[in-house]
Amino acid sequence: GAGLGAVASVLSAAAMVAAGGQQQRGWAATLNTPSQWLWGEEARHVEAASVRHTAIGYATHHGSSVLWAVLHARYARGWVAERGLAAELAAGWAAGALACFVDYRLTPRRLQPGFDAHLPRRSMAGVYAAFGVGLGLASWLLHRR
């Protein structure tokens, strides 16, 4: 699960940084927002890189990615079985969609990732899709042996 989460974390973080750049934000702006669980609303407005916001924000994002990957590894294998890359990607995207739903519909605002402070919905969808690709691709690579 941790390896899957690491791949998903890196791919979705890259998507966050790229999408933030398209919105004319500092490269670290979207990585800073997950630190809002600790620093509150201030984290949603910081665009510059810092240990206080960027390091904690990425660590939070990474930890969340690993948690979702552990759940994915535990539950998706039963219905993905040995159906190949397309099935693994579909399962990854489903996990990404579920993560987005939980993050923004079931989680209190302060504990949300906060990407919505800097990204339009289409870019947020891209971030969660990148997360799903990371899960699916890493899972496929791990289990194709």
Side-chain angles (χ1 to χ4, degrees):
L4 303 180
V7 173
S9 174
V10 168
L11 283 180
S12 56
M16 278 188 277
V17 169
Q22 289 177 340
Q23 298 302 312
Q24 306 302 309
R25 304 291 187 196
W27 73 266
T30 54
L31 294 177
N32 292 340
T33 59
S35 72
Q36 71 181 357
W37 70 268
L38 184 59
W39 307 121
E41 188 71 21
E42 137 191 354
R44 295 174 69 86
H45 305 289
V46 177
E47 292 191 23
S50 69
V51 171
R52 176 180 170 100
H53 292 99
T54 314
I56 291 174
Y58 182 75
T60 301
H61 171 69
H62 187 82
S64 176
S65 296
V66 169
L67 172 66
W68 279 106
V70 167
L71 294 173
H72 174 77
R74 171 76 171 100
Y75 296 106
R77 288 305 305 159
W79 60 273
V80 170
E82 296 298 325
R83 290 180 284 170
L85 180 58
E88 293 282 8
L89 288 173
W93 283 324
L98 179 61
C100 182
F101 176 78
V102 170
D103 284 350
Y104 284 98
R105 295 290 182 230
L106 303 180
T107 304
R109 179 174 163 102
R110 184 161 181 159
L111 301 178
Q112 293 176 358
F115 314 141
D116 60 315
H118 301 291
L119 302 179
R121 287 182 187 248
R122 73 181 183 285
S123 295
M124 289 179 57
V127 168
Y128 282 95
F131 175 78
V133 166
L135 283 180
L137 185 60
S139 184
W140 177 72
L141 288 170
L142 180 68
H143 295 109
R144 71 183 190 136
R145 300 175 198 175

